[in-house]
Amino acid sequence: MKMKPSLFLQLECPLLVAAVFITGIGGTFQYGFNIAVMTSPSLFIKELVNTTSTERYGLPLEEWQLTLIWSFLVSIFCVGGLLGSLLAVQMGKKYGRKQCLLMNNLVAIVAAVLMILSKRAVSFEMIMVARFLYGVNTGVILTVHPMYLVESAPKNLRGTVGVTTATFSSLGKFFAQLLGIKELLGTEDLWVWLLGFSGFVALFQLFTLPLLPESPRYLLLNRGDQEGFERAVKRLWGSRDYSVETQEMLQEKIELQDIKIHSVMELLQSRPLRWVVLTVIVNFVAIQLCGINAVTPNSGGRVHVMFLWGLQAVAVGSIGRKKLLIGGYGCMAVTQMLLTITLNLQDHVKWMPYCSIVLIFLSIFSFSCGPSGVTMSLLAEFFTQSYKPAGYALACSINWVGLFVVGMVFPLLVKHLESYCFLIFLFFTIALATFVGINVPETNNLSPLEIQEAFRKMHSKTEKGGGPATPCGTTDNEIHGLKCQTKL
Ligand SMILES: *[C@@H]1O[C@H](CO)[C@@H](O)[C@H](O)[C@H]1NC(C)=O
């Protein structure tokens, strides 16, 4: 009974509940908020861009130029996100999770000041820099916030606490939309305060976060600070017995010491892993190009993709990964084909718009049933412990770069192709389903090494003169990594 993540237990550790709120509000809330915030003041921002250009450079802008700059303002957020997420791991290690989150708030505050002053200074460049800084802030948050929470929770609450990151992200999106209405901050005079709102949120976290202890796990494993660990744990978890967790952490540390962690370059250059890496890359690129971001504005699906992959991976556990991918993308291809037809008939047949809506819904549904969960679980399933960090960094980079590129290109594409834009996505979904069908073995219930072996078997036939194949690049490290993984 004691092991249940009940409300009772959560009330037993009030500081943990406080930690959830404090890190959440300054955490993934910011992500959701910044993803959604640009929509409502878009007209005012475009006006400012045009005014800046006219007054300062004497160049009134045309519609398409304005669209291009607008897309850039929205998407440069992702470039910052990439930088932030690449910095986050090192910073989190060096300064600790708490310090890292604290300093990160300063970035958001600087961004907010730039946003608030941009209109008075008649400078859309300030919005650009601020969006970039918000991106850096968010990139750090998406890495360190879940890390801090999961590390600070006792084992039986880890799942519950981890899911709150998704909750706060949705909350952020909701707030951005709420504050963006005309009655609140969505007006000609007040829109800069809407864009600067994140700064006040960051200010809140800057003053409340010092009340929380550093992540106990970090104190014990990275700092070797037994005393600090015990103090932090007592404060966070109350007076319950935590010897099991402590033992596990120490055990894990011993195991991880012997594993050589490979870099992204080593991952990309590894011959035995070539097809595994290619499959992962193709699948992550596919998420961007399959059109899901086009049908769910503000990349709404992404949050859940990012945070609930674990749950989905469990839910889809019994069906083969390969079948799910092919089925999911296959269904999407069919709906996209039909969508092109219904969108073209929209003006001639009265009830066609309803068909389009149903098809869009079906498309999202096929995506979330198959590809979204599977793609995220690929990382956990395909790589041994020694390659996992590199795998995550690679996937994360593809995600941010992809969001940027799609965010830049898609608005222009829609303008020119209109209802035919789904044909492009159709091409990519079919290509992907084909790639998976030909090049990826079924990997259900296999360990990373078995998966790599399955890939090798599948491709050794087609590769001529590959030389004597090393047994799937099995080094001592990887065997150890596997052992470690099954134990954890
Ligand atoms: C930009 O401003 C100029 C001058 O005020 C105006 O003529 C033009 O229509 C504006 N461009 C757009 C796309 O609104």
Side-chain angles (χ1 to χ4, degrees):
M1 193 187 80
K2 258 210 132 158
M3 290 309 284
K4 264 194 171 165
S6 63
L7 189 64
F8 175 68
L9 257 177
Q10 295 184 38
L11 291 177
E12 242 181 27
C13 2
L15 198 67
L16 190 62
V17 180
V20 165
F21 277 94
I22 291 172
T23 56
I25 288 173
T28 44
F29 177 93
Q30 301 275 45
Y31 170 74
F33 192 88
N34 281 307
I35 285 284
V37 76
M38 295 288 275
T39 316
S40 92
S42 65
L43 275 182
F44 305 127
I45 298 174
K46 281 182 187 167
E47 216 175 277
L48 178 69
V49 173
N50 198 5
T51 315
T52 309
S53 179
T54 313
E55 285 188 8
R56 193 124 40 81
Y57 307 115
L59 280 175
L61 295 173
E62 283 174 41
E63 192 65 41
W64 69 270
Q65 293 167 315
L66 214 49
T67 307
L68 198 67
I69 295 178
W70 163 254
S71 310
F72 191 71
L73 285 179
V74 174
S75 305
I76 197 175
F77 178 75
C78 305
V79 182
L82 175 62
L83 184 70
S85 55
L86 292 180
L87 286 175
V89 176
Q90 289 309 316
M91 296 229 321
K93 238 186 242 166
K94 191 162 175 207
Y95 300 107
R97 324 305 192 212
K98 186 177 144 185
Q99 290 304 328
C100 184
L101 285 174
L102 268 179
M103 289 189 287
N104 193 33
N105 285 317
L106 299 178
V107 179
I109 291 170
V110 172
V113 171
L114 286 174
M115 282 291 192
I116 292 167
L117 295 178
S118 65
K119 194 174 156 211
R120 181 156 306 172
V122 196
S123 163
F124 73 86
E125 294 89 343
M126 285 166 79
I127 298 186
M128 205 177 282
V129 176
R131 276 295 282 181
F132 175 78
L133 289 177
Y134 275 148
V136 174
N137 173 264
T138 303
V140 172
I141 283 171
L142 285 183
T143 308
V144 182
H145 173 208
M147 204 191 268
Y148 176 85
L149 268 190
V150 171
E151 289 181 0
S152 298
K155 200 174 176 190
N156 54 338
L157 290 179
R158 251 170 237 167
T160 318
V161 163
V163 169
T164 62
T165 53
T167 316
F168 276 99
S169 161
S170 308
L171 201 65
K173 232 179 263 173
F174 170 74
F175 255 79
Q177 281 155 4
L178 179 72
L179 291 178
I181 61 173
K182 281 194 193 69
E183 287 74 17
L184 293 169
L185 299 177
T187 64
E188 174 115 47
D189 297 325
L190 293 176
W191 63 267
V192 284
W193 294 97
L194 178 65
L195 295 185
F197 184 77
S198 286
F200 295 95
V201 176
L203 212 57
F204 168 79
Q205 196 187 56
L206 191 64
F207 285 112
T208 47
L209 194 61
L211 302 175
L212 301 175
E214 174 60 277
S215 135
R217 198 188 124 100
Y218 172 81
L219 286 174
L220 187 67
L221 297 195
N222 297 57
R223 287 270 164 86
D225 180 359
Q226 181 82 27
E227 248 175 62
F229 164 78
E230 277 169 19
R231 241 180 294 130
V233 161
K234 269 214 188 82
R235 286 187 62 201
L236 280 167
W237 302 356
S239 50
R240 56 202 288 272
D241 177 29
Y242 46 80
S243 53
V244 180
E245 274 107 338
T246 315
Q247 273 313 312
E248 269 180 16
M249 280 184 219
L250 288 173
Q251 183 67 29
E252 191 183 332
K253 182 177 187 182
I254 294 167
E255 279 166 353
L256 285 176
Q257 258 166 4
D258 299 334
I259 299 178
K260 182 182 181 303
I261 301 293
H262 294 281
S263 70
V264 176
M265 274 323 276
E266 285 170 319
L267 177 67
L268 290 176
Q269 285 167 351
S270 160
R271 253 185 84 84
L273 286 177
R274 198 166 44 183
W275 279 98
V276 177
V277 173
L278 188 64
T279 302
V280 168
I281 292 178
V282 166
N283 273 287
F284 272 87
V285 170
I287 285 196
Q288 304 296 334
L289 298 181
C290 70
I292 192 67
N293 287 337
V295 294
T296 55
N298 300 331
S299 43
R302 182 151 320 278
V303 191
H304 302 282
V305 172
M306 292 286 262
F307 294 109
L308 298 181
W309 65 267
L311 296 179
Q312 286 171 343
V314 173
V316 300
S318 52
I319 311 175
R321 306 286 184 265
K322 183 175 178 173
K323 285 194 201 95
L324 277 171
L325 280 175
I326 297 180
Y329 283 120
C331 287
M332 283 183 82
V334 174
T335 57
Q336 283 161 354
M337 214 175 324
L338 295 174
L339 252 176
T340 310
I341 299 173
T342 59
L343 287 174
N344 273 302
L345 293 177
Q346 202 119 306
D347 297 334
H348 308 292
V349 188
K350 229 193 221 152
W351 43 266
M352 263 313 156
Y354 301 106
C355 288
S356 306
I357 292 172
V358 171
L359 284 171
I360 286 177
F361 180 77
L362 280 179
S363 176
I364 297 173
F365 183 73
S366 338
F367 179 76
S368 29
C369 282
S372 83
V374 174
T375 304
M376 287 299 154
S377 66
L378 290 185
L379 290 175
E381 289 176 359
F382 278 20
F383 295 120
T384 52
Q385 209 72 1
S386 55
Y387 279 107
K388 233 173 238 177
Y392 275 95
L394 184 67
C396 184
S397 310
I398 295 175
N399 250 333
W400 284 114
V401 172
L403 275 177
F404 175 74
V405 173
V406 172
M408 282 301 296
V409 175
F410 187 67
L412 289 175
L413 220 59
V414 172
K415 253 204 168 96
H416 287 102
L417 294 177
E418 292 176 359
S419 55
Y420 290 105
C421 67
F422 281 100
L423 288 180
I424 296 179
F425 302 134
L426 178 66
F427 168 79
F428 284 118
T429 43
I430 291 178
L432 187 83
T434 317
F435 175 88
V436 173
I438 296 174
N439 290 317
V440 181
E442 185 52 81
T443 58
N444 238 24
N445 298 325
L446 297 182
S447 72
L449 287 186
E450 285 166 344
I451 288 175
Q452 288 162 21
E453 175 68 17
F455 268 98
R456 193 187 63 76
K457 266 199 197 128
M458 190 169 197
H459 293 286
S460 60
K461 281 172 256 156
T462 52
E463 270 171 47
K464 295 153 272 167
T470 49
C472 67
T474 320
T475 65
D476 288 350
N477 284 334
E478 274 174 294
I479 293 176
H480 198 97
L482 179 70
K483 245 188 351 209
C484 174
Q485 222 175 344
T486 43
K487 248 191 234 164
L488 282 177

